[in-house]
Each structure stands twice: as C-alpha cells, then as structure tokens.
Amino acid sequence: MSATLRAPEPADTSQPSPAGAKGGSLAEKVLRLREFSIGAALVLLILATWLVNPSFLDDQGIKDLLLNASILVLLATGQSVVVLTRNIDLSVGSVVGLTAFACGSFVSGTDHSAVTVLLLGIALGTVCGLVSGALVSFGRVPALVVTLGMLYVIQGLDHAWAHGEQINAANVPDAVLTLGSGSVLGIPYLPILSAVVLAATAYFLRAYGSGRELYAIGSNPEAARLAGIPIRRRVLTAYAFSGAVAGLAGALWLARFGTVVADAANGWELTVVSAVVVGGIAITGGVGTVWGAALGALLLTTIGSALVVLKVSSFWEQAITGALLLAAISTDRVVRGRTTRALRKRSRQ
Amino acid sequence: MSKTAPAGADPAPVLALKGVSKSFGSVRALRDISLELRAGESHALAGENGAGKSTLIKTLAGVHRPEAGTVLLDGEPAVFHGPADARDAGIAVIYQEPTLFADLSIAENIFMGRQPRRTLGRIDHAAVHAATGALMERLGVDLDPGRTARGLSIADQQIVEIAKALSFDARVLIMDEPTAALTGSETARLFSVVETLRTEGAAVLFISHRLGEIFDLCRHVTTLRDGQLVASEPLEGLTEDELVRRMVGRDLGELYPKQEARPGGTALTVRRLTREGVFRDVSFDVREGEIVALAGLVGAGRSEVAQAVFGVDRADAGEVRVNGQALRAGSPTAAMRAGLALVPEDRRQLGLVMDASIERNIGLTGLRQLRTRGLVRRAGERARASDWALRLSLKYGRLSDPVGFLSGGNQQKVVLAKWLATEPSVLIVDEPTRGIDVGTKAEVHRLLSSLAADGLAVLMISSDLPEVLGMADRVLVMHEGRLVAEIPRAQADEESVMAAATGRAGSRGEAA
C-alpha cells in the first residue's frame, strides 16, 4: 500500500513557486478594474446629465458628443504609444495647430479631395514626430525637454506663418468639409476614423512583436537593451506615430471647423496626457492599453460637454480634469505598491 | 555529476576570446584576455569582485565591444553589434541581477523579441503560452506562464531567465552567479538542468563565489585578477587554497588587516524591526569599537534593514536606538543628528553626485556646519575636503575635479569621507568594496579597522565572504528577511555562514 501513496512529483519541485495560478490575473484584474470604473463613471455621468437635461442624449446631443471626443481620442491613442515607452510627447497640441493651418492654406480656393488633405496632414505630422523622436532617441535629450521645445518652436512657426490671418470655411473645398460634417448610417465620419485608428493601434500593440517591445522598453529599459530590442528605433517610431496621428487630427480639425486660427488646439497637450493617464496608462511606461486611454479621453470630453449642458462655468472643467489626473496618478502608486506586495506575499508562502 | 567531456581529444572551441581588452574611462577593465569555451564542457570563471568577470561576460554577450582583440565563434572572428547578435549566435546569458520586465507576463518575458509568429507576422500568443508551459514543465516548476513577473521571488526570476536560455536551445550558456540567491534544493535543480544542457553539447561558462560549486560543476577554470588573466587550467589537481591564491594574489591575512577589537558600550540597538513583506523581527546590537558583518544572499533583505535603520525606508514596526536614544522612524535627518552614517551600496546612484566636484561631494553632508548666515563657505568646504582626502590617502588631481573621473576605489573613499566628516558614532557600510581593485580594497579595510579601533561602531553589509570572515568581530546572517544566526569571529567560517545564509537548518551557529 505504502508505495501507491507516494506523491506523483518530488515535493520540492512545486514548493518554490506556489505563486502560480492566480498571480497573473491579479495584476490584470487591477487594470481591468480601472478601465471598468472609468466606463462606469462615464455611464453615470451621462445618465445624470441626461436626467437633468434630456436634450443631452437626443440625436444631435449624441452626435456632438462623438464629434467632440473623436479628435481627443485620436490624440490619446498616439500619445499612449509614446507614454508606454516611458516617454512623453507634449508637442501634439501645436502639431494639430500647425497641420490644421497648413492643410487649410493648401486647400483654400482649390478643389483638392479629402484624401489629399488627410495625407498632407499625416505627412506633416510625421515629420514633426520624427524630429522629436530623433532628438529623444538618438540625441538622448530627455523627452520632456525635447517636446516642450518642439511645442514652442512649432507654435512659433505657425504664428509666423499665419501672421494673424485665419483660414475661412468659405474657402475650404466642400469635399473636405463633408468629411467633418457628413455621416454614414447616422454616424459621423470623424468618430469612425478615430475608432479605426484606435482599434488598429490596439491590435498592433497586442499582436505584433514590435508592439510588445514598446511595453518592454517602458517596463525595464535596461532589460530591453540586454534583450537586444532596438530601443532607439522603436522610440523613434513611437514618436513618428504620435506625430502622424496628431497630423491626421489636424486635418480633421480643419474638416470639422472649417475656420482655423493659428493657435488651434492650443493647450491640448495636457488634456491629452491627462486622458492617457486617467485611462490607466502608467506615466512611467509599460502598463495600460489604448482602449483605456480612449475611455479616459471620452470621459474628459463628456465632463466638458456635461458642464455646458448643466450650465456650470467651463473653468470647472480644468479643475476637474486636474483633480482626475492627480487621483489617477495617486491610485496608480498606491495600487501598484499593494499588488506588488500581494504578489510577493503569495510567492513567499 | 560527470565532469568529463566526451571521449577523444578536446573539441574545437565554440566561443573564444583572443587578446581582448576593454576600458571604461581611465579604468582598464580587461587587459589582453583569452578564453576558450568548448562544446560539452563546463568552464569556471574565477576572480574577486571587480576582477573584470562581468565585463568579460558582457563582451561575450555583445553588450560591450572590445577595443582590442577578437571574439571567435566556431573559430571565425565574429562582431556582435548588440545583445541580439550574440543571442542569434546561440549565446544565452543569465545575469547576476535578473533582467525581467516586471509588467509583462512570464511567457512574454521569455519570448520577448523572438515570439513565434503566425500569418501576417502576428504573434502566436497561444504558441508562446504553450511553449512557456512546456519549458516550466521541463524545469519542474509550477509557474503560470500568464502571471506578471512583478513580485516573483529572486529564485523564480532566475528560473524564468533559465527558461529564456532553454527556449532558444543555447549552444553557449553563461551564468553570472546564478546560485547567489538560491536555496540548496533550488541550486541542485539548476545544476541538473545545466548538466543536461552540457551533455547535450552546450558550452557552459560559470561564475560563482562558492568554490565548492566550481569544483562540483566545472572541468576547467580561468582566473582573472584586476582585469588580467592569471591562469587558465584544468581544475583537476587544483586545490581550493591554490585557486583562492590565484584570485587574491596574496595571503588572506595580509588582505584583511584586522586589529584586535576592544568593544565598549552599545552604540546601536535594533529591536524587532519589521517591514511587511521585506524583513521581519530583526534585532541586534553593535558596540563601540566593533565591526559587525551582516551576511546573507542577495535579496535576503540586508540592505533593506540598513535603509530602515537609517530611516530612508520607514519600518512598519520595531525600534532603533543610537547611544541609548530612540530614533524617530523614517527620518534620515534625525538619524544623522543622532550620529548614524550610511554608506550605500550603489555609490553611483545613491552615494555620490557624479558630476559634482570632490569637495562638493564631501561637503554635502556638512552643509549645516559649513553654513554662515545661510550661505555655504567655499573655503570651509575645501578645507574639510582636503583634510579628509589626506586622511584617506585619496588619489586625485584637483579637489574641483568631478567625482566621476576617479576610479571606483577612490570614489568609494569620497563616499566614506563624506560620511566620516559628520563624525558619526555608528557607521553602516553596504558592500564597501564592491567593484574596487584589490589594492584599494585593502586600504578601505585598513581604514575600517582603524576606525573601529578608535571606538567607531561599524555595521558592514557584504556579500564578499572572505571580507566578512576577515573583517568582522561578529557575523549576523540573514535568510529570506529574517536574522537566522549570530556567529562570533572564532566560529565563523565559510561553511557556517553559507549554511545559515542558505537557510539550511541544523548547521546554524548560535541562533540569534
């Protein structure tokens, strides 16, 4: 009998690592929880506002909400990719301003197609992103300094070029304006475009090696170097992507508003970074999803729109955005500490 | 464990170094080093801390490019442009400090950069997961491939690193102190995996401070000292003493000029100090004139205890007294005022401002004393610096030179000067001689010894066993966050300290 009572495995093979089964899901659960709670907050906010003012959710209300959110969602998607690598791109607001104005100047009084405008915007944005990216990755200048510098340089260029002039909707070809106001099956083009870019980015980050490497770089740069990941090339690409998306957003800005002044999207960079961080992407890189960032962008936009509907002074919007940002970063720190400790405890048992 | 290579003549080397040299600034880390690794053979790399072993490994791993000499792969000169090139050549390196991505899953960690692909170049997540599961099974561990690496124990992190090496069927396996943080059974498991790989034809390069492991596992040994090749020879016929002499280059007695201790009153008292999940119930005393070593494996929680004592990290429970006075928890300022000084392990990150001058660095701890009406007096700062430079026989050009220009040993002297200038009654030193050449090392030891003779209480954290045995009046040993043994100088030897550090019950010294 005693022979059959022997354990199938030597006892010590399983002993050092009983952490196993549930450990992974814990960290993932925390992230899910974060995305879930933002989603819940969003739904609550929309419901509450709707109860106070039912016009918030009529056809036009929903359309406005989607249109307002789409550019911020787009920018947040681009920003996420950069923040995941433990970097930041503060120049996106000015890139939007520059490309919106440049595209406007290019098409004013012509009959260029919407596609041409989009391509021009993307190309111009990519160039801006490549300059920032090259300085950060190959020049080894801290991202904060580079992109802050780029923010002012691009803004300055934009103002010098515009010289107080503005692009008038009357001069913008109809094909371009239709892109901003038209819709398919009742859904405006803008949010569709944003959703496509968002989904493609999310898929790329998950399904492709270079996407995973962006996470690796942000999580542990030294280990990434030892693992042979081409860090500089990846970071450069992340900035080029962020720039391209900002350029696309600039072209869409023109399509949406028609009338563009030189400082369009001025100050947006901080809203974009807030959206990304509120959406669960760690400012220290390596953690989070673009879906979360998009939810963050949606939440910030909705707060803005709800305040208008509720007739609250728009100054509150900034205060609320700031408070959310602080809350998000503080919870990140606390939660990360707690999960690390919890995981470690499980490993020790 | 068989140590012999397959029958017949020595097979041709898989990987070799020929006349390789490498410098960092003014420090010559490797000078004209040659080394041959053969298929199916385990090769040991011996040498003290700072002898150049890590640099040599990083050269083989494609992290460093040698400035002279060549790397030969299958007899052909090879140039590795980066770690990816070395990996593609079948070279796997397991570093002393595991290099994992804490936010990513175990499976992703293992296959990062070379995931199996399906159509359109997309990652085959299912295959990654399954392959990781198979590797874990082969290693006989129960780790969930989907679990994030954050919070894994050092031993488990090491397992993930080994799985990484297994995953691409490495032809050359390089291990830098892989057993430093492992228990006995974990070490045995590791060695059986390595032996399997070796008999399957892999070349193994093995670094360990435990000489017994070298003799158990390896057939050939190459010894480095101060970046130079001392000997490359078969281990057969070599004794441990001979190997130590090759590593150290002189007798141990000469290396550790320990003066007779005459302990006075208790200077530092630590009672039931606890930080949740890091260390627990740590109690000990250090008396005036005494050098107490805190030994243990990497990750046992020694540096964490030191930081909690000094107040850098806040302890969850427990008490620290300096000269009988209770210390306010979590306040380094209070600790300094009470007469405590901490020389941290990582002098580049924590001990020095590398871009600032020698005098600025030494003056940093004394800004309070050096101040008149809120302004720091330059003359006072310089006087203090030159005084301490003289006392520690610091080798420098000018006191206004940036500290970063100095050699490792002299940098360490600057950190010591910076803290000694506060005239502490208790000095905590964390790995005081890591990465320092042998000559300067002896100077640091002589200094610590004479400071203790003058009545300073010294708590020394060290992973360097000869240093612990040579310098300490008493050895405290930590294992997995607990103080497990207190061994007086007379009874402290390699065996007793290692037994306690690896948590082998029964062979403890006088349990604390």
Side-chain angles (χ1 to χ4, degrees):
Chain A
M1 274 306 277
S2 62
T4 59
L5 287 175
R6 278 176 53 203
E9 290 288 327
D12 70 306
T13 52
S14 60
Q15 175 261 326
S17 32
K22 285 157 206 151
S25 47
L26 178 63
E28 225 159 70
K29 256 184 218 155
V30 169
L31 196 64
R32 287 279 142 71
L33 195 66
R34 169 66 158 279
E35 284 163 10
F36 177 78
S37 52
I38 297 167
L42 189 61
V43 171
L44 275 180
L45 179 68
I46 291 173
L47 279 179
T49 316
W50 174 66
L51 284 177
V52 175
N53 187 343
S55 75
F56 187 60
L57 278 193
D58 63 16
D59 278 359
Q60 191 55 42
I62 292 179
K63 210 167 173 179
D64 283 345
L65 206 57
L66 286 175
L67 278 173
N68 290 340
S70 43
I71 289 181
L72 189 61
V73 166
L74 209 51
L75 292 174
T77 307
Q79 186 73 245
S80 300
V81 174
V82 172
V83 174
L84 279 177
T85 65
R86 206 179 272 192
N87 284 295
I88 197 164
D89 187 355
L90 292 179
S91 69
V92 288
S94 64
V95 173
V96 172
L98 179 72
T99 47
F101 195 84
C103 290
S105 304
F106 179 70
V107 298
S108 275
T110 68
D111 54 356
H112 284 295
S113 72
V115 174
T116 318
V117 175
L118 291 182
L119 289 180
L120 176 68
I122 291 173
L124 199 56
T126 308
V127 171
C128 295
L130 280 174
V131 174
S132 299
L135 285 169
V136 172
S137 60
F138 291 94
R140 302 196 188 187
V141 187
L144 199 70
V145 181
V146 168
T147 58
L148 196 61
M150 285 297 285
L151 164 67
Y152 286 117
V153 168
I154 295 173
Q155 220 168 53
L157 279 176
D158 198 10
H159 278 281
W161 184 8
H163 219 80
E165 301 282 310
Q166 64 173 39
I167 308 295
N168 287 312
N171 295 332
V172 178
D174 282 343
V176 176
L177 291 176
T178 312
L179 178 67
S181 56
S183 57
V184 276
L185 304 171
I187 306 171
Y189 290 129
L190 250 62
I192 295 178
L193 255 172
S194 296
V196 168
V197 171
L198 172 66
T201 310
Y203 190 71
F204 164 77
L205 285 177
R206 202 186 133 57
Y208 283 86
S210 38
R212 300 315 296 168
E213 287 174 9
L214 295 175
Y215 279 88
I217 292 166
S219 186
N220 186 345
E222 179 60 18
R225 193 171 72 96
L226 293 176
I229 295 172
I231 298 179
R232 294 183 195 176
R233 218 161 64 212
R234 295 280 177 267
V235 170
L236 180 67
T237 315
Y239 273 98
F241 177 72
S242 170
V245 168
L248 173 65
L252 293 178
W253 185 287
L254 173 74
R256 164 111 207 265
F257 300 108
T259 304
V260 175
V261 290
D263 61 355
N266 189 8
W268 273 48
E269 49 283 337
L270 292 183
T271 317
V272 174
V273 173
S274 306
V276 165
V277 173
V278 167
I281 294 195
I283 197 76
T284 47
V287 185
T289 67
V290 283
W291 296 111
L295 271 178
L298 214 51
L299 181 66
L300 294 192
T301 313
T302 311
I303 290 173
S305 307
L307 291 180
V308 173
V309 170
L310 299 175
K311 299 197 172 57
V312 179
S313 160
S314 66
F315 291 113
W316 282 104
E317 186 184 342
Q318 289 184 15
I320 292 174
T321 305
L324 270 179
L325 180 65
L326 291 178
I329 291 187
S330 320
T331 29
D332 273 354
R333 282 206 64 89
V334 174
V335 168
R336 186 181 281 213
R338 291 252 166 97
T339 35
T340 306
R341 234 171 288 169
L343 285 170
R344 195 174 287 157
K345 232 172 229 173
R346 284 188 197 177
S347 300
R348 287 225 167 156
Q349 272 158 14
Chain B
M1 233 174 266
S2 154
K3 285 180 277 177
T4 45
D10 276 348
V14 181
L15 184 65
L17 291 180
K18 209 169 168 196
V20 162
S21 298
K22 175 79 189 167
S23 304
F24 299 101
S26 59
V27 182
R28 300 184 69 184
L30 292 178
R31 268 178 275 180
D32 193 22
I33 302 290
S34 297
L35 177 78
E36 291 184 340
L37 301 180
R38 292 169 204 284
E41 184 179 281
S42 287
H43 194 120
L45 188 59
E48 289 194 292
N49 289 337
K53 292 171 298 182
S54 294
T55 309
L56 189 149
I57 284 178
K58 287 192 167 171
T59 307
L60 290 172
V63 177
H64 295 323
R65 296 272 295 275
E67 55 226 18
T70 43
V71 179
L72 297 169
L73 190 67
D74 293 319
E76 300 289 323
V79 178
F80 297 143
H81 294 282
D85 284 357
R87 186 186 62 203
D88 293 344
I91 300 169
V93 186
I94 296 168
Y95 294 97
Q96 205 171 350
E97 314 278 330
T99 53
L100 298 184
F101 306 110
D103 302 307
L104 302 185
S105 72
I106 289 176
E108 285 208 84
N109 266 289
I110 292 175
F111 287 98
M112 182 55 68
R114 43 190 191 82
Q115 300 92 341
R117 304 292 162 92
R118 46 195 187 122
T119 51
L120 300 173
R122 293 169 299 162
I123 295 174
D124 189 342
H125 286 289
V128 170
H129 207 272
T132 306
L135 286 169
M136 292 301 151
E137 204 160 294
R138 188 166 158 201
L139 288 170
V141 291
D142 174 32
L143 279 177
D144 173 13
R147 187 209 141 114
T148 43
R150 185 175 297 283
L152 281 178
S153 72
I154 299 266
D156 284 345
Q157 292 184 39
Q158 206 70 267
I159 290 292
V160 175
E161 295 282 358
I162 289 159
K164 212 190 282 180
L166 284 180
S167 71
F168 62 95
D169 291 319
R171 297 162 62 208
V172 180
L173 181 64
I174 301 174
M175 297 183 291
D176 191 355
E177 300 232 29
T179 59
L182 302 190
T183 64
S185 65
E186 287 164 342
T187 302
R189 184 178 65 194
L190 170 67
F191 281 5
S192 74
V193 172
V194 172
E195 271 303 295
T196 314
L197 278 176
R198 188 188 65 75
T199 47
E200 283 168 13
V204 176
L205 181 64
F206 179 72
I207 294 183
S208 176
H209 272 133
R210 303 181 191 169
L211 297 183
E213 291 179 351
I214 289 183
F215 281 91
D216 278 350
L217 194 69
C218 301
R219 202 169 82 101
H220 206 91
V221 61
T222 295
T223 311
L224 301 184
R225 185 167 71 230
D226 294 341
Q228 281 175 305
L229 188 76
V230 178
S232 192
E233 62 208 319
L235 268 162
E236 211 172 19
L238 204 64
T239 67
E240 286 200 15
D241 283 348
E242 282 168 337
L243 185 56
V244 169
R245 209 164 302 130
R246 283 186 183 38
M247 287 162 60
V248 177
R250 66 186 90 177
D251 285 332
L252 277 183
E254 195 187 327
L255 192 63
Y256 300 103
K258 179 75 180 84
Q259 299 176 19
E260 192 66 31
R262 285 182 303 276
T266 303
L268 175 69
T269 310
V270 176
R271 285 291 171 270
R272 300 188 69 85
L273 203 63
T274 299
R275 244 190 103 201
E276 220 51 67
V278 184
F279 56 82
R280 170 167 289 278
D281 279 344
V282 172
S283 303
F284 61 88
D285 295 317
V286 183
R287 297 199 287 166
E288 289 168 5
E290 190 184 37
I291 298 181
V292 174
L294 194 51
L297 304 180
V298 175
R302 297 168 298 160
S303 300
E304 289 77 2
V305 168
Q307 298 200 340
V309 168
F310 193 65
V312 182
D313 296 331
R314 208 189 177 92
D316 293 326
E319 189 189 36
V320 177
R321 287 173 171 273
V322 178
N323 299 319
Q325 258 190 316
L327 214 59
R328 190 150 59 88
S331 166
T333 320
M336 276 173 71
R337 250 187 233 142
L340 215 57
L342 171 69
V343 176
E345 175 179 8
D346 185 349
R347 59 177 170 268
R348 293 190 152 265
Q349 298 288 334
L350 306 174
L352 292 170
V353 185
M354 297 306 276
D355 297 327
S357 66
I358 299 170
E359 52 194 6
R360 278 282 155 80
N361 269 289
I362 295 180
L364 218 48
T365 49
L367 293 179
R368 232 166 258 280
Q369 297 102 291
L370 292 170
R371 229 161 29 182
T372 336
R373 285 186 294 278
L375 299 176
V376 175
R377 281 173 290 120
R378 287 292 302 275
E381 195 177 66
R382 174 153 294 191
R384 174 177 161 130
S386 64
D387 176 34
W388 280 101
L390 192 67
R391 285 167 75 174
L392 302 191
S393 52
L394 185 73
K395 291 183 193 68
Y396 62 96
R398 281 174 307 175
L399 286 173
S400 52
D401 289 343
V403 163
F405 283 18
L406 299 176
S407 72
N410 280 299
Q411 286 177 8
Q412 187 67 348
K413 284 187 190 172
V414 173
V415 188
L416 278 167
K418 169 180 149 185
W419 285 106
L420 291 174
T422 64
E423 292 174 1
S425 53
V426 180
L427 178 69
I428 306 176
V429 285
D430 195 351
E431 304 287 359
T433 59
R434 177 172 283 181
I436 290 181
D437 63 275
V438 181
T440 317
K441 203 167 162 176
E443 278 182 55
V444 170
H445 288 147
R446 203 166 298 127
L447 178 72
L448 287 177
S449 184
S450 75
L451 286 167
D454 291 344
L456 187 69
V458 179
L459 178 65
M460 178 181 79
I461 298 174
S462 175
S463 300
D464 188 345
L465 209 46
E467 176 173 274
V468 167
L469 301 176
M471 295 296 297
D473 296 302
R474 265 188 303 141
V475 182
L476 305 173
V477 188
M478 284 188 74
H479 171 66
E480 289 184 356
R482 282 171 190 274
L483 203 57
V484 291
E486 176 173 349
I487 310 172
R489 183 176 178 83
Q491 278 133 52
D493 55 26
E494 200 157 314
E495 180 56 31
S496 62
V497 174
M498 275 331 285
T502 49
R504 270 179 273 155
S507 52
R508 290 181 185 179
E510 292 166 18

